[in-house]
Amino acid sequence: MKSKIIWTFELIEEIPRVPETYLKHIENTDGLFEIRVQFGNNIYRIFCFFDKGHLIILANAFQKKTQKTAKREIEKALKIKEAYYNEKR
């Protein structure tokens, strides 16, 4: 699993237009994305956001077991994003 996550990070870093299979904007959020990693039957999501368009900040991760992403996971990622920018100021 670890090598698959690293492979996905490298893919996002190297190609200019990343397919939604690997990186997707979360609807109704201000700049929150999810990195999607599938390993066998397991699906993992890693929330992230961009700083100045280039640097990806990883927020939180979880194993996805249902079709819909849990609101509490999105809220947690948004709180991490807010804390990041507040600390940066």
Side-chain angles (χ1 to χ4, degrees):
M1 185 66 217
K2 181 179 174 181
S3 61
K4 180 75 181 231
I5 291 172
I6 291 169
W7 179 88
T8 306
F9 288 167
E10 289 172 349
L11 175 82
I12 291 168
E13 183 180 22
E14 291 174 10
I15 64 174
R17 185 158 167 81
V18 181
E20 280 192 3
T21 307
Y22 301 106
L23 182 68
K24 182 179 177 186
H25 179 258
I26 302 295
E27 292 179 13
N28 302 319
T29 67
D30 183 26
L32 188 64
F33 290 79
E34 69 175 1
I35 298 170
R36 300 166 161 209
V37 181
Q38 184 167 354
F39 187 73
N41 291 331
N42 297 315
I43 300 171
Y44 298 89
R45 300 289 191 248
I46 305 166
F47 285 120
C48 62
F49 52 93
F50 291 86
D51 186 357
K52 298 183 182 176
H54 296 286
L55 178 65
I56 295 179
I57 309 300
L58 303 178
N60 57 317
F62 63 99
Q63 183 176 2
K64 190 167 180 181
K65 296 184 179 185
T66 63
Q67 279 295 100
K68 194 164 181 156
T69 302
K71 285 185 181 181
R72 72 175 187 265
E73 294 292 343
I74 293 172
E75 290 169 0
K76 184 178 183 180
L78 290 171
K79 284 180 184 177
I80 292 169
K81 181 181 176 198
E82 182 181 353
Y84 171 82
Y85 283 113
N86 286 339
E87 208 172 294
K88 190 173 175 183
R89 287 183 212 154

